[in-house]
Amino acid sequence: MALGLFAERGFDETTVDEIAQAAGLTKRSFFRYFPAKEDAVFGGVDVTGEQVVEDIRARPADEDPWQSLHHVLRQWERQIHASEQTLASLRLIESTPSLHARLYQKRAQWRRHVSDALRDRPGVQLDSFTAELLTNAASAVLDTVSQEWLRSGGTADRAALLDRGFAFLHPAATIRARETAEPHQPGPVRADRGRHS
Amino acid sequence: MALGLFAERGFDETTVDEIAQAAGLTKRSFFRYFPAKEDAVFGGVDVTGEQVVEDIRARPADEDPWQSLHHVLRQWERQIHASEQTLASLRLIESTPSLHARLYQKRAQWRRHVSDALRDRPGVQLDSFTAELLTNAASAVLDTVSQEWLRSGGTADRAALLDRGFAFLHPAATIRARETAEPHQPGPVRADRGRHS
DNA sequence: TCTATCCTGTCACTCGGTGTCGTAAGTTGT
DNA sequence: ACAACTTACGACACCGAGTGACAGGATAGA
């Protein structure tokens, strides 16, 4: 695995040629499997959480979207951050700027899917601004949890931090229009915009 | 300016040699002025908002940190997004993955400074988790505003969107030790529909 | 067995980025 | 005015990531 080489010499100090040769391949063949050098790290780790998008779609339609995000991400946390290997990967990512940038790209793409999933749910319609705001906020919570977890040296309780973040950032009023939900009548989009106050 | 070339042929399709030659320089000299090709775009735009950090430090110590972020960022919005040139830059950044990644790197660094500024204020002490959570949430609001603004084709009212985001994501209880109810900003936050055209 | 397909190695090339050296300008001190 | 020094730039070589094109070997199916 390339992770061993990265752990030894660091990501930037390891050549693609070296990775490929260690795997019994050529540089050219390496790029046939991975679109970029960075993806050799992300290959094994589910950083984007594709399952999360499906899980959100599977949540009850009348549930508060913030609650849905909280619930799904807590489940996801539980599944992911278990093995020591993903832990080492995340440390490497956090300490390498180019990997961090790549993680961000994947996260941005993931956020688009999540916000689409939020907006596509039946029942209460969310406008795109609100959906993206909730998604980005949830992503911010995840990011903060990871930072704190890294600062703690991996000893912090990620689930507890996640709960704390989600509780702290609870939106003023996500869904206040339950009475207008019509599950059987898609009809025109009568989106109740997120006016607060 | 390199922005002209980028606007014509696109960022990835423009080589550093071409940029340098258009500016009457050598490739080597280009890299003496800019650490990377991407920085030729960010050079003129204040994407990191260095002033913001100072402004946060200048806010009253007993002010709710979320309010401080809101206030300072609204001021910053007003100063920045005026010229047509920065508008074109932001469009280019948003449509180019490598530039987007670079923007993220700068934002991450900026967030560190902001969260440090929040934690360094006298009076009520914030733990690092809370400070980072508030900072990342504010950054998420900014990001969402930019997305919506871009989707609207640049016609949306960024200040109104910012207010809406900050109000919507208002933390449950940041600092409950304030009984000085300041009159805040004149005029209620108008929830503009966030629709283009 | 013949053949189409897939996988891989090899070579050549582009482009971003860096180190090194030489040199033509200033700039300062005496 | 002269020497010493600094600054800035060009020229060249070099490295590593990534891509395109081509050739050959293995394999599955007829």
Side-chain angles (χ1 to χ4, degrees):
Chain A
M1 229 4 172
L3 287 179
L5 288 179
F6 290 151
E8 283 181 35
R9 296 201 269 285
F11 180 79
D12 292 323
E13 286 70 30
T14 308
T15 317
V16 174
D17 273 313
E18 295 172 335
I19 308 170
Q21 194 171 0
L25 290 173
T26 317
K27 187 182 82 169
R28 194 63 184 87
S29 281
F30 173 88
F31 284 111
R32 280 191 254 259
Y33 283 97
F34 303 102
K37 182 186 175 188
E38 286 81 15
D39 291 294
V41 177
F42 292 101
V45 194
D46 180 27
V47 284
T48 63
E50 318 234 347
Q51 185 63 33
V52 168
V53 182
E54 291 307 313
D55 288 352
I56 285 177
R57 288 208 154 86
R59 290 260 95 198
D62 62 334
E63 188 182 45
D64 184 291
W66 188 247
Q67 297 283 346
S68 299
L69 285 168
H70 185 184
H71 188 274
V72 168
L73 287 180
R74 194 198 286 145
Q75 288 303 112
W76 179 70
E77 280 278 350
R78 202 156 288 158
Q79 291 172 9
I80 290 302
H81 306 284
S83 82
E84 276 291 326
Q85 190 170 352
T86 67
L87 197 146
S89 301
L90 290 181
R91 280 223 184 91
L92 181 65
I93 291 168
E94 199 74 22
S95 63
T96 309
S98 62
L99 287 174
H100 212 273
R102 192 73 168 191
L103 172 65
Y104 166 71
Q105 285 186 356
K106 288 172 175 291
R107 283 243 187 99
Q109 179 177 343
W110 173 78
R111 281 200 296 261
R112 276 202 303 275
H113 293 152
V114 168
S115 106
D116 285 347
L118 280 183
R119 239 180 37 254
D120 285 349
R121 8 166 90 198
V124 181
Q125 292 282 345
L126 289 179
D127 62 309
S128 51
F129 180 78
T130 305
E132 276 170 4
L133 185 59
L134 290 170
T135 306
N136 291 347
S139 180
V141 171
L142 265 185
D143 220 43
T144 315
V145 167
S146 282
Q147 288 178 62
E148 180 70 24
W149 176 76
L150 199 80
R151 185 168 34 237
S152 77
T155 64
D157 184 353
R158 291 184 66 116
L161 289 175
L162 189 83
D163 290 345
R164 194 175 147 199
F166 264 85
F168 190 59
L169 229 57
H170 196 294
T174 36
I175 296 188
R176 77 212 58 72
R178 287 168 199 248
E179 65 273 10
T180 65
E182 248 119 344
H184 292 293
Q185 187 78 331
V189 179
R190 289 202 297 125
D192 176 25
R193 275 205 205 32
R195 66 189 133 97
H196 61 285
S197 74
Chain B
M1 258 310 175
L3 286 179
L5 289 178
F6 291 151
E8 283 181 36
R9 297 199 268 284
F11 181 79
D12 293 323
E13 287 69 30
T14 308
T15 65
V16 175
D17 272 314
E18 294 172 336
I19 308 170
Q21 194 172 1
L25 290 174
T26 317
K27 189 182 78 170
R28 194 61 185 88
S29 281
F30 173 88
F31 286 110
R32 280 192 253 258
Y33 283 98
F34 303 101
K37 183 186 176 187
E38 286 81 15
D39 292 292
V41 177
F42 292 100
V45 193
D46 180 27
V47 284
T48 62
E50 318 234 348
Q51 186 62 33
V52 168
V53 182
E54 291 307 314
D55 289 350
I56 285 177
R57 287 208 154 86
R59 289 259 96 195
D62 62 334
E63 187 183 45
D64 184 291
W66 188 248
Q67 297 284 344
S68 298
L69 286 167
H70 186 184
H71 188 274
V72 168
L73 286 180
R74 193 197 287 143
Q75 288 304 111
W76 179 69
E77 279 280 349
R78 202 156 289 159
Q79 291 173 9
I80 290 304
H81 305 283
S83 83
E84 276 291 326
Q85 189 170 351
T86 68
L87 196 146
S89 300
L90 291 180
R91 279 223 185 93
L92 181 65
I93 291 169
E94 200 74 21
S95 61
T96 309
S98 62
L99 287 174
H100 212 274
R102 192 73 169 191
L103 172 64
Y104 167 71
Q105 285 186 355
K106 288 172 175 290
R107 282 243 187 98
Q109 179 177 343
W110 173 77
R111 281 200 297 261
R112 275 202 304 277
H113 293 152
V114 168
S115 105
D116 285 348
L118 280 183
R119 238 178 40 254
D120 284 352
R121 8 166 90 201
V124 182
Q125 289 285 345
L126 290 179
D127 61 312
S128 51
F129 179 78
T130 305
E132 275 170 5
L133 185 59
L134 290 170
T135 305
N136 291 347
S139 180
V141 171
L142 266 186
D143 220 40
T144 315
V145 167
S146 282
Q147 287 177 63
E148 180 70 22
W149 177 75
L150 199 81
R151 185 169 32 238
S152 77
T155 64
D157 184 352
R158 291 186 65 116
L161 290 174
L162 189 83
D163 290 344
R164 193 176 147 196
F166 264 85
F168 190 58
L169 230 56
H170 197 294
T174 37
I175 297 186
R176 65 202 65 74
R178 69 175 178 96
E179 37 271 350
T180 50
E182 51 184 275
H184 192 232
Q185 204 71 10
V189 181
R190 294 194 50 82
D192 101 322
R193 314 226 143 216
R195 275 279 167 267
H196 55 289
S197 303

